[in-house]
């Protein structure tokens, strides 16, 4: 499977920087109704509260962001991560841009276009980012000639609507996906496709939550997800908080557990789904899909329609983010940093891989399920 960059679906990548924001201890009132939230826009429409996921599971701390640069840094540095959540954070970033933009309509649009370009440059693979930014930029253009207070209110309203719709999508995806999960099943998931990665509730973890809410006894096996440990730090944290049985395994244990009959079904999220059904998701997903195929275990993908990119013909055209090699050369946790390789060692760090459609049993979206996974199935859901 090639992951080379295409001309058509590409966006620039960037390297990590630090989150330049003071930490606030105020707890937001999550729009999803949950007790925590990856990102929220404060009622003043001038502050974004963001749960700094780099500090989890050790600390639940919210950063208070007031400008586009801080939001862009937070996305690049994975303080907020997960395809839908970075789309929502970026949408709120454009609200912050509007709050400080010049009054003149043409200058306002120019300022918003600059902010759009900056936020779009943060991470290239998750198409939700481009999708959310395009939606907010359209609103900004439409509202440019309004009074500054009114156009700010319009942008904030649109960004909150996008956030609310994502939560509703996750719930619909969960209900649909849960129908395929048997009572007593053990579900393997990879990375974190939960409430932390979305507006709330989650996609892959939304399926797990909906199955549990339907009264099924579900166990989850969570891969630790090297190099940044989203599985160990975030998925395990979320599920333990909800009292859903979860057991952590290392990425390399999956074949063993499948061979022993310890995994009934795999459910993962996605960062971009191409027109032919190829799925880009966290590095390691492709390997899990191959193992699932070898063992006859269903491999399912749960994602909102905002992750589907019908303009991208196949997985070969999905841009794969290359992150800093230092993430591989050391293990960084909120508890400390361990260097695991000799000084000067070379490392590569593609952050995502592509699973070909033929290995995916079903894709669950809020518009319906696609199975078998192919272009015709996806295109049939194009019009809601
Ligand atoms: O690098 P990350 O943590 O942003 O990667 C996240 C994933 O790969 C998720 O599985 C994906 O974004 C789906 S989130 C609902």
């Amino acid at each position: 499977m090639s992951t080379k960059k295409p001309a058509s679906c590409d966006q620039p990548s960037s390297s990590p920087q630090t989150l330049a924001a003071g930490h606030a201890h105020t707890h937001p009132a999550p729009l999803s109704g949950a007790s925590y939230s990856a990102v929220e826009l404060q009622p003043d429409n001038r502050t974004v509260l963001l749960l700094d996921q780099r500090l989890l599971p050790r600390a639940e701390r919210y950063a208070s962001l007031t400008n586009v640069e801080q939001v862009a840094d937070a996305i690049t540095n994975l303080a907020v991560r997960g395809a839908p959540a970075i789309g929502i954070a970026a949408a709120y970033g454009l609200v912050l841009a509007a709050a400080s933009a010049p009054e003149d309509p043409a200058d306002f649009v120019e300022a918003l276009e600059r902010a759009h370009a900056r936020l779009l440059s943060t991470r290239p693979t998750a198409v939700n980012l481009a999708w959310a930014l395009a939606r907010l930029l359209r609103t900004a253009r439409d509202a440019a000639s309004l009074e500054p207070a009114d156009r700010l209110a319009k942008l904030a309203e649109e960004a909150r609507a996008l956030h609310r719709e994502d939560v509703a999508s996750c719930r619909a995806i969960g209900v649909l996906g849960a129908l395929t999960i048997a009572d007593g099943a053990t579900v393997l998931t990879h990375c974190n496709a939960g409430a932390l990665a979305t507006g709330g509730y989650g996609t892959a973890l939304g399926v797990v939550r909906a199955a549990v809410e339907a009264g099924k006894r579900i166990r989850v096996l969570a891969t630790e997800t090297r190099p940044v440990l989203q599985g160990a730090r975030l998925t395990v944290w979320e599920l333990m908080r909800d009292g859903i049985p979860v057991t952590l395994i290392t990425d390399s244990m999956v074949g063993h557990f499948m061979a022993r009959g310890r995994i009934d079904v795999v459910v993962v999220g996605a960062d971009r789904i191409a027109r032919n059904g190829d799925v880009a998701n966290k590095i390691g997903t492709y390997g899990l899909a191959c193992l699932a195929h070898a063992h006859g275990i269903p491999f399912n993908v749960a994602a909102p329609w905002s992750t589907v990119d019908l303009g991208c013909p196949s997985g070969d055209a999905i841009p794969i983010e290359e992150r800093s090699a230092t993430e591989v050369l050391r293990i960084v946790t909120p508890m400390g940093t361990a260097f695991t390789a000799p000084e000067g060692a070379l490392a590569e760090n593609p952050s995502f891989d592509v699973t070909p459609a033929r290995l995916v049993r079903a894709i669950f979206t809020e518009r319906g399920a696609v199975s078998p996974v192919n272009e015709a199935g996806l295109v049939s859901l194009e019009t809601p």
Side-chain angles (χ1 to χ4, degrees):
M1 172 55 54
S2 158
T3 54
K4 62 182 176 293
K5 293 183 176 183
S8 59
C9 315
D10 209 359
Q11 296 163 18
S13 184
S14 67
S15 54
Q17 301 157 27
T18 50
L19 175 61
H23 281 118
H25 296 273
T26 345
H27 201 286
L31 207 145
S32 66
S35 63
Y36 59 90
S37 178
V39 59
E40 295 290 335
L41 180 64
Q42 288 287 69
D44 66 1
N45 295 339
R46 289 166 188 277
T47 315
V48 171
L49 277 190
L50 186 142
L51 177 53
D52 189 341
Q53 297 189 30
R54 297 169 305 172
L55 305 178
L56 288 171
R58 186 151 208 184
E60 191 179 327
R61 201 174 298 162
Y62 288 85
S64 210
L65 313 182
T66 53
N67 63 51
V68 170
E69 205 47 43
Q70 289 172 338
V71 176
D73 279 354
I75 295 172
T76 303
N77 296 333
L78 310 182
V80 60
R81 32 65 51 202
I86 63 176
I88 295 163
Y92 287 150
L94 283 193
V95 178
L96 299 187
S100 63
E103 199 168 334
D104 174 75
D107 296 344
F108 169 80
V109 170
E110 202 187 309
L112 268 282
E113 284 172 351
R114 262 200 316 275
H116 172 278
R118 172 69 184 103
L119 290 161
L120 189 61
S121 73
T122 52
R123 298 194 76 189
T125 303
V127 74
N128 311 61
L129 180 68
W131 171 85
L133 283 167
R135 180 164 158 180
L136 266 284
L137 191 59
R138 267 197 308 275
T139 306
R141 288 189 176 123
D142 289 348
S145 55
L146 299 179
E147 287 298 311
D150 293 338
R151 67 191 183 196
L152 176 61
K154 276 248 178 288
L155 260 90
E157 191 187 311
E158 188 66 13
R160 286 198 183 93
L162 183 150
H163 186 165
R164 246 184 241 111
E165 287 163 25
D166 185 69
V167 179
S169 295
C170 285
R171 289 198 171 266
I173 291 164
V175 169
L176 197 59
L179 295 174
T180 67
I181 309 283
D183 184 23
T186 296
V187 179
L188 177 81
T189 193
H190 186 54
C191 193
N192 172 266
L196 290 167
T198 60
Y201 201 71
T203 54
L205 294 192
V207 171
V208 168
R209 287 192 166 100
V212 170
E213 284 165 16
K216 295 176 184 172
R217 288 156 301 168
I218 305 295
R219 302 196 67 84
V220 175
L221 279 186
T223 55
E224 87 185 322
T225 320
R226 270 289 280 152
V228 186
L229 303 172
Q230 291 95 330
R233 294 187 302 102
L234 308 176
T235 293
V236 174
W237 180 82
E238 268 196 32
L239 293 176
M240 285 180 72
R241 231 176 123 121
D242 279 6
I244 298 173
V246 56
T247 302
L248 178 65
I249 61 173
T250 67
D251 300 355
S252 52
M253 292 176 186
V254 171
H256 169 81
F257 279 90
M258 285 187 177
R260 295 275 161 111
R262 300 271 304 272
I263 295 170
D264 299 302
V265 57
V266 183
V267 187
V268 296
D271 284 79
R272 192 182 301 224
I273 299 172
R275 189 177 183 92
N276 71 344
D278 291 350
V279 174
N281 190 48
K282 179 52 57 195
I283 191 74
T285 303
Y286 175 40
L288 299 189
C290 291
L291 281 167
H293 182 71
H295 291 90
I297 295 169
F299 177 92
N300 297 323
V301 172
W305 191 254
S306 54
T307 303
V308 176
D309 184 0
L310 293 178
C312 216
S314 74
D316 287 350
I318 298 177
I320 299 297
E321 178 181 9
E322 294 284 342
R323 294 187 62 84
S324 166
T326 57
E327 289 182 348
V328 174
L329 295 167
R330 56 185 197 186
I331 298 179
V332 179
T333 74
M335 282 69 87
T337 298
F339 288 85
T340 55
E343 218 181 312
L346 298 177
E348 288 204 38
N349 190 12
S351 196
F352 300 93
D353 58 24
V354 175
T355 298
R358 66 185 158 78
L359 296 179
V360 182
R361 175 74 60 89
I363 296 177
F364 306 120
T365 80
E366 72 277 25
R367 295 187 181 186
V370 176
S371 184
V373 175
N374 55 32
E375 176 172 341
L378 282 169
V379 169
S380 74
L381 298 181
E382 189 174 5
T383 318

